[in-house]
Amino acid sequence: MPLNIGILALQGDFSKHQEAIEGLGHQALLVKDEATLNRCHKLIIPGGESTTQLLLIDKLGLRQALIEFGRSKAIMGTCAGLILLGKTREHLPADPLKLIDIEVKRNAYGRQVQSFIDTVEIDLHGEKMAFEGVFIRAPKIKAVGPDVRILGKYKDDIVLAENDHVLVATFHPELTDDYRIHRYFIEKVGP
């Protein structure tokens, strides 16, 4: 049965997530208000600029609705979305949403010109596999709490992790034609 998968559409490349969701046979809803969020079964917070996204979330009064959503339904965050879901405030204008117990360093791989594509190793179903990691001004996960499972690494860096309701990636799986991470999020993460 097709699900309504929301994509926070305040800033960032949400259209590529929309292509992935629709490519998997689900309905993508572009979320800009609480009414649309309430129609979603799950939500994706895309990459983009974390400071801008956080300011817009607060300006539009979405903070508490997003926190409540993430306590009972599944959320996936990629790149800047990961920063917003973590617990580290580093240079943000306000606290992030704190829905997953991870410490994050923003722009940890360098500036825009240091962006790169390389193979990451992921483990979604108890089997290690390669995935093309697109890193654009990507953050690093510096530490995880006891309720966080590590699902992917690039060299020694954690690049994919989850708790019961939240899946985060430091890279951009939506910028590939490989929908395995989106499929895993839809089928396995959260209720």
Side-chain angles (χ1 to χ4, degrees), residues 50 79-88 92 96-97 104 106-107 139:
S50 54
C79 199
L82 169 145
I83 294 167
L84 297 183
L85 292 167
K87 68 177 191 178
T88 308
L92 290 173
L97 303 176
V104 180
R106 295 172 67 197
N107 301 323

Side-chain angles (χ1 to χ4, degrees), residues 1-190:
M1 178 178 120
L3 299 176
N4 289 335
I5 309 297
I7 304 162
L8 192 64
L10 305 180
Q11 189 267 338
D13 193 4
F14 47 84
S15 65
K16 297 301 286 181
H17 283 290
Q18 182 177 5
E19 287 176 23
I21 295 307
E22 291 172 351
L24 291 169
H26 297 280
Q27 176 72 38
L29 301 178
L30 299 182
V31 175
K32 297 179 182 182
D33 55 48
E34 192 171 347
T36 308
L37 178 64
N38 290 336
R39 294 177 41 220
C40 299
H41 297 104
K42 298 183 179 213
L43 177 72
I44 296 172
I45 300 179
E49 211 297 305
S50 54
T51 298
T52 301
Q53 288 186 14
L54 195 57
L55 288 170
L56 288 169
I57 285 168
D58 286 338
K59 182 178 180 178
L60 296 170
L62 287 171
R63 174 180 289 271
Q64 196 56 41
L66 289 168
I67 291 170
E68 289 171 16
F69 186 97
R71 288 182 179 151
S72 62
K73 296 181 180 179
I75 297 182
M76 178 169 86
T78 59
C79 199
L82 169 145
I83 294 167
L84 297 183
L85 292 167
K87 68 177 191 178
T88 308
R89 183 167 175 173
E90 181 192 39
H91 306 296
L92 290 173
D95 283 339
L97 303 176
K98 299 182 179 183
L99 289 169
I100 186 167
D101 187 6
I102 58 172
E103 292 181 23
V104 180
K105 178 166 179 49
R106 295 172 67 197
N107 301 323
Y109 292 97
R111 308 177 86 129
Q112 189 81 19
V113 295
Q114 280 96 30
S115 299
F116 64 97
I117 299 172
D118 205 348
T119 301
V120 301
E121 185 176 88
I122 62 173
D123 182 349
L124 300 180
H125 304 285
E127 175 186 338
K128 292 182 179 178
M129 57 191 93
F131 193 93
E132 184 178 64
V134 179
F135 293 84
I136 302 172
R137 292 179 58 214
K140 282 188 182 181
I141 298 173
K142 302 300 286 180
V144 299
D147 66 333
V148 176
R149 294 173 294 283
I150 298 168
L151 299 178
K153 286 197 165 191
Y154 173 69
K155 298 182 180 178
D156 291 329
D157 296 332
I158 302 166
V159 296
L160 186 68
E162 71 176 346
N163 65 16
D164 288 341
H165 290 98
V166 178
L167 175 69
V168 290
T170 63
F171 56 97
H172 291 269
E174 75 281 6
L175 295 181
T176 73
D177 293 329
D178 187 338
Y179 295 160
R180 285 179 291 170
I181 291 174
H182 285 84
R183 179 178 287 111
Y184 177 83
F185 170 66
I186 292 168
E187 295 176 358
K188 300 292 183 189
V189 180

